[in-house]
Amino acid sequence: MDFIREYVEPGRPLILTDFAKQYPALGKWTPHFFSSHYGSLSHEVKGVRYSIAEQMGLIQTSTEEKPAPYSYNLNIDLAFPELRPDVEPLLLGRRDRLATRLLLRKLTRGTIKHEVFFGGKGASFPYLHVDLQHLHTQITQLYGDKEFFLFPPDQTPYMYPKPDYPLVSAVDNVFNPDPVRFPLFCQAKGHREMLKEGETIFFPTGWWHMTRIPGPSISYGRALLERGNWPAYLKDTYNGWKQKSALMAMAAYAIGRCCGALMDLGEPALPLI
Ligand SMILES: [Fe+2]
């Protein structure tokens, strides 16, 4: 399959049913695994600290009425670095620019590349949004299922982007939108997909999305950067630096252009997935 040409370049999302069969994480990353290997580790969810063992217990007893705390964006490289080989190979292979050594750390500005999400029944990502820095997104369900609500970029006029934060929608209840406050959202055309355990969803930059969890769930998330979203990523990086220092912004942009040109040179001969 010519994944880049058929899906990445035209901005089409895709569900891959078998890709994660290559991951050692599939069948391994279960609530029992995290409880028994990392049970005493603690981390914060919405201002409250939970041990991993505590959280694994909560996601299994979670209900619609009382959802377990949902931890998303937990950085695997920091929390569980030894588990990184469990989620290889990379979906974009060597075309993934976040994986190349040519990409300087300063340019990524804290981008979390590999994330794990722990959630239980009734939990949901709290708001409809577009992912930061114009990165593409991969989510793989390693345990349990997850429901996705997706709206293509051409539906942005119906999404009510927040004036002060246009990557987040002002619609506060996607499942039961207020027709008086958000009449256009009621006309938006989106997609609803239940991602099953073992499946991987890819959606390109610009797609609005949020999720809902029907039961205990462990997901792996990966940000993706390639030739197509490189210019927008670089512009975003420039704008981010500009808030701190105009000089640093210009330097980051110039370095980014050079890195991009070098990566362009190395890519035509690379095999496609
Ligand atoms: Fe997201």
Side-chain angles (χ1 to χ4, degrees), residues 85-160:
D86 286 358
V87 283
E88 285 175 357
L90 297 172
L91 182 58
L92 289 180
R94 288 173 59 205
R95 283 180 185 265
D96 190 343
R97 295 187 170 190
L98 282 178
T100 174
R101 288 184 183 169
L102 281 172
L103 184 63
L104 301 179
R105 194 175 289 183
K106 282 278 183 196
L107 273 181
T108 60
R109 291 194 299 115
T111 302
I112 301 178
K113 300 174 195 170
H114 306 274
E115 302 163 324
V116 64
F117 303 69
F118 301 129
K121 184 172 182 167
S124 65
F125 198 89
Y127 46 84
L128 192 60
H129 65 285
V130 170
D131 284 336
L132 289 171
Q133 293 178 290
H134 296 91
L135 294 163
H136 306 313
T137 300
Q138 167 200 346
I139 304 283
T140 297
Q141 271 310 105
L142 295 169
Y143 186 86
D145 303 339
K146 184 176 271 184
E147 192 174 22
F148 282 77
F149 299 83
L150 295 159
F151 295 88
D154 67 6
Q155 297 294 293
T156 300
Y158 303 89
M159 296 292 112
Y160 294 89

Side-chain angles (χ1 to χ4, degrees), residues 30-40 52-53 56:
T30 62
H32 175 72
F33 170 77
F34 280 101
S35 287
S36 53
H37 289 79
Y38 300 97
S40 57
I52 295 284
M56 292 303 116

